């Protein structure tokens, strides 16, 4: 749980607008990705369920329902990134487009909320990039479950 603006205690999931708010965010992000020549090759054809899966992952990570773990499992996340060989440019573009999607989807402008979301994206893209280059299980990032993200910096919550 987190201290929300105004002193109410809420999860990032609630602050983001719950399932509908996160789905709107992920749809705005995905729409921008499909128009982006740097990222389109990573997300293009065959990714019709990506918005739903990304919403499930973000919702669970932000303290919402655990649908991602129950339905897909964390191994799915590892497997979809293997072999993509994500570049530094692609990772940076992902982060930039996600930040823009927060505005496009009219998500809260509260600085603490935005900081937590962007730290989540920075971490997630680093894990995805590492896993995209791994040729062995040992080279994979050690995380094997959806992380619970809060507005508190890691180690302070």
């Amino acid at each position: 749980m987190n201290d929300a603006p105004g002193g109410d205690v809420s999860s990032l999931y609630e602050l983001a607008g719950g399932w509908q708010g996160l789905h709107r965010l992920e749809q705005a992000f995905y729409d921008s990705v499909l128009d982006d020549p740097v990222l389109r090759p990573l997300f293009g054809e065959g990714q019709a369920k990506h918005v739903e899966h990304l919403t499930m992952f973000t919702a669970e990570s932000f303290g919402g329902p655990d649908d991602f773990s129950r339905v897909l499992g964390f191994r799915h996340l590892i497997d979809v990134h293997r072999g993509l060989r994500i570049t530094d440019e692609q990772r940076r573009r992902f982060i930039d487009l996600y930040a823009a999607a927060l505005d496009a989807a009219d998500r809260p402008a509260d600085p603490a909320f935005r900081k937590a979301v962007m730290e989540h994206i920075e971490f997630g893209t680093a894990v995805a990039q590492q896993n995209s280059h791994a040729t062995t299980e040992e080279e994979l990032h050690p995380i094997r479950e959806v992380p619970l993200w809060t507005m508190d910096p890691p180690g302070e919550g």
Side-chain angles (χ1 to χ4, degrees):
M1 300 304 259
N2 308 292
D3 290 327
D8 294 329
V9 176
S10 295
S11 65
L12 281 173
Y13 176 75
E14 292 164 338
L15 291 171
W19 182 265
Q20 290 180 344
L22 285 174
H23 193 274
R24 194 165 47 251
L25 169 61
E26 304 306 5
Q27 187 66 61
F29 169 70
Y30 195 66
D31 290 347
S32 70
V33 163
L34 294 180
D35 286 337
D36 187 87
V38 173
L39 290 180
R40 187 177 330 120
L42 298 178
F43 290 87
E45 295 180 36
Q47 297 292 333
K49 294 188 180 253
H50 191 261
V51 171
E52 202 71 18
H53 293 174
L54 190 54
T55 303
M56 289 166 59
F57 178 82
T58 306
E60 184 172 337
S61 188
F62 285 6
D66 67 347
D67 295 341
F68 188 88
S69 292
R70 284 186 310 96
V71 175
L72 296 172
F74 197 81
R75 187 68 204 196
H76 170 80
L77 193 60
I78 293 171
D79 292 343
V80 298
H81 291 105
R82 293 288 293 265
L84 290 178
R85 305 196 55 77
I86 297 168
T87 66
D88 290 338
E89 178 187 19
Q90 288 169 323
R91 178 173 178 248
R92 184 78 251 153
R93 184 70 59 91
F94 185 108
I95 292 165
D96 293 343
L97 290 180
Y98 205 92
L102 284 165
D103 290 329
D106 198 28
R107 295 304 74 214
D110 174 71
F113 172 80
R114 292 287 177 112
K115 181 176 186 273
V117 171
M118 294 314 298
E119 287 172 347
H120 177 261
I121 294 304
E122 290 276 352
F123 177 77
T125 57
V127 171
Q129 186 177 33
Q130 179 176 338
N131 289 346
S132 78
H133 290 272
T135 57
T136 66
E137 290 292 308
E138 293 75 28
E139 292 174 346
L140 291 169
H141 190 280
I143 192 169
R144 293 294 185 276
E145 61 186 30
V146 176
L148 178 59
W149 215 263
T150 69
M151 287 181 33
D152 298 322
E156 290 185 20

